[in-house]
Amino acid sequence: MRRSLLPLALIGLLALPMPGAQAAALTDDLQGLSKQQVEDSVEFAFGNALFFLFHEAGHMLVSEFNLPVLGREEDAVDTLSTLLLLEADGEVFDTALTDSVDGWTFSAEASEAAEEEQALWDVHALDRQRAFSMVCMMVGKDAEKFKESADNLEFPEERRKQCVGEYQKARDSWFGVLKPHQRTDGQNNKFTITYKCLFKNGGRARG
Ligand SMILES: [Zn+2]
């Protein structure tokens, strides 16, 4: 994604309708926070939303282009989202990556505090595994830049070295299968858009 597209992505996210009850709950959560804390919270939410936006776009690409998926699709599109943010190579995107890793860690801690069952059968990897997989790609590309995220997770040094090759393999694989579908001058890609409601009875959705 080119940097110039970021404002459009932001506008698109902000334009998403929020149910009244959720909007009221959000307002309650923000009460008592300083201006800086509100700004940090918004930035954190935006970074996590950007990761999910690219994750869902990955599902769309797999579906619309009938891309081969050798392994669990949820893992594959997590990897694509991470790669897109890494290849964008900008401060906003780097922050989105580190905030998303923190987001998975916070989500895991909340589940553990609530003593929720770890859904080993789920289509998604466990939240902590999703954090580690993201960090593997991040340190695979730039071990120094993302050292703090890896240190926070106590990511083993030996594993960080393996991630260099895994990042390169994942990058070459994803961009290799997408290359034939890249738009060329005078040619438009066609997508069929189907709208459906993801929320039932106020339930929580996972990407
Ligand atoms: Zn998904």
Side-chain angles (χ1 to χ4, degrees), residues 62 69-81 83 174:
V62 168
V69 180
L70 309 178
R72 189 158 52 178
E73 182 172 322
E74 294 296 340
D75 295 343
V77 296
D78 268 0
T79 300
L80 175 65
S81 179
L83 289 170
W174 256 114

Side-chain angles (χ1 to χ4, degrees), residues 55-56 59 73-74 77-78 124 130 206-207:
H55 170 105
E56 300 304 339
H59 283 306
E73 182 172 322
E74 294 296 340
V77 296
D78 268 0
H124 304 89
R130 294 177 85 168
R206 300 182 76 209

